[in-house]
Amino acid sequence: MGKFVISSRKNGEFQFNLKASNGQVILSSEGYTTKAACENGISSVKKNAPDITKFDKLTAKNGKFYFNLKAGNGQIIGSSEMYESEAGRTNGIKSVQENAPDAPVEEVSN
């Protein structure tokens, strides 16, 4: 089972990563100024991940593939890693959809 990991950045902001059961990061958040805002972001991922229409499939300038997960208001709540293939990106989306809804939240101190 996957899990959300909350950590703090050097600039004091909070961010979360959704990790698959193998420990690989499958979704990363933006920086949040408060832990509460970061936790709200996690709640939004859990709510929106099952809806395939909330995923934007994109291609970077270097030709690699990635996706963004958007909230109901259109705001990006998480971005994926870069994938070598469209199939890899599709599997990443499936992994977020399977792991996010029931993933526990863990906090790490940096």
Side-chain angles (χ1 to χ4, degrees):
M1 177 185 236
K3 64 181 174 182
F4 287 97
V5 178
I6 296 175
S7 59
S8 55
R9 296 178 172 178
K10 286 187 171 76
N11 65 2
E13 289 184 335
F14 294 89
Q15 78 171 68
F16 66 80
N17 287 313
L18 175 59
K19 294 187 175 186
S21 55
N22 65 2
Q24 184 178 2
V25 175
I26 50 177
L27 192 73
S28 296
S29 75
E30 63 183 358
Y32 294 95
T33 54
T34 66
K35 185 175 161 196
C38 187
E39 290 168 338
N40 285 340
I42 291 171
S43 295
S44 186
V45 169
K46 288 182 173 204
K47 177 182 167 190
N48 290 287
D51 185 350
I52 192 66
T53 66
K54 297 289 198 303
F55 290 88
D56 280 345
K57 298 176 185 176
L58 304 160
T59 305
K61 289 187 174 99
N62 64 4
K64 295 196 176 192
F65 302 93
Y66 69 105
F67 61 85
N68 288 328
L69 174 61
K70 291 187 170 182
N73 64 4
Q75 185 176 359
I76 295 171
I77 48 179
S79 298
S80 73
E81 64 178 357
M82 294 291 169
Y83 295 95
E84 297 293 331
S85 67
E86 289 185 59
R89 177 181 63 198
T90 298
N91 287 338
I93 290 171
K94 285 181 186 167
S95 186
V96 170
Q97 289 185 298
E98 291 168 5
N99 284 285
D102 300 315
V105 178
E106 182 179 294
E107 191 172 347
V108 296
S109 54
N110 302 20

